[in-house]
Amino acid sequence: MAVYPYPAAKETAMTPGPASHPDSPATGGEGGCRLLLVRHAKAVPKGDPAEDAERPLSERGRADAHRTGRWLAQSGHAPALALCSPARRTRQTWQLLVPELAGPPSAVHDGRLYAATPQALVRVLAERAAGLGCVALVGHNPGIHELASALCGSGPRKLRERLAEGFPTSGVVVVDLPDGWDALTPGAGRLTDFWSPPR
């Protein structure tokens, strides 16, 4: 599949698209799927750049990761697979949120997701998500925010405006892709929901 250029989040055009009910099923329509983009919970401050991948979650981050899991469970999101960066803070985020889920999916820790560009995230999704209705991706800013902003060509205006402002730690962006994983192109998704823990 062709990988299209993804602009930075602040440069992404946000244009309204056709309306659809926010609770429409993840696999509604032929080939439709749902992507749950999860930013890792808050980590301890940066120190030596060489040790960035080993930064653990802060105390607040650990509490927020549990809240993220509860929100996913209460919202009825049931990913068939989790794709997770192997960085310590992303692994810990997944480990802390997954007990809240009724039917935890298997997780794949893929090194290409660490500090990944939107293009790299798309390549991993296209490779690993084929045939699945709902997939969670646990990753990092700025790549995950840039991907969410570029994909979401439609959805409630308030949600899109909020996404344009940022993607907080422990946040979840829910993107419906009516044309499936083969259509991971700018503007192809609908922003269905956006949640983050209260600050």
Side-chain angles (χ1 to χ4, degrees):
M1 88 165 238
V3 177
Y4 292 77
Y6 281 80
K10 63 183 178 181
E11 299 171 352
T12 302
M14 297 286 187
T15 56
S20 68
H21 193 280
D23 294 325
S24 58
T27 54
E30 185 176 350
C33 56
R34 175 165 286 173
L35 174 61
L36 309 175
L37 293 170
V38 182
R39 185 181 174 196
H40 67 79
K42 187 171 182 61
V44 299
K46 292 181 179 180
D48 183 346
E51 298 175 359
D52 179 70
E54 290 304 315
R55 282 197 293 138
L57 295 184
S58 66
E59 184 176 344
R60 192 187 92 186
R62 296 176 68 84
D64 282 349
H66 285 293
R67 294 186 183 101
T68 301
R70 284 195 293 274
W71 182 84
L72 286 168
Q74 292 166 2
S75 301
H77 297 303
L81 175 69
L83 300 173
C84 188
S85 159
R88 188 175 180 185
R89 57 193 181 274
T90 43
R91 286 186 284 112
Q92 287 183 331
T93 299
W94 177 251
Q95 290 163 0
L96 290 169
L97 73 80
V98 76
E100 306 289 344
L101 305 180
S106 59
V108 173
H109 296 86
D110 192 314
R112 294 172 293 175
L113 299 178
Y114 174 64
T117 63
Q119 295 92 333
L121 297 175
V122 164
R123 282 192 289 270
V124 175
L125 282 165
E127 174 187 316
R128 295 190 177 273
L132 302 176
C134 182
V135 170
L137 191 157
V138 187
H140 310 261
N141 271 1
I144 198 169
H145 183 211
E146 291 170 359
L147 176 62
S149 298
L151 277 178
C152 295
S154 64
R157 183 175 297 277
K158 285 185 178 180
L159 290 183
R160 290 187 286 122
E161 289 174 349
R162 184 178 162 207
L163 178 60
E165 294 172 358
F167 194 152
T169 53
S170 297
V172 182
V173 170
V174 181
V175 185
D176 281 343
L177 298 160
D179 296 321
W181 302 114
D182 290 334
L184 283 164
T185 57
R190 175 179 172 79
L191 177 56
T192 301
D193 211 344
F194 184 12
W195 178 89
S196 61
R199 294 292 182 246

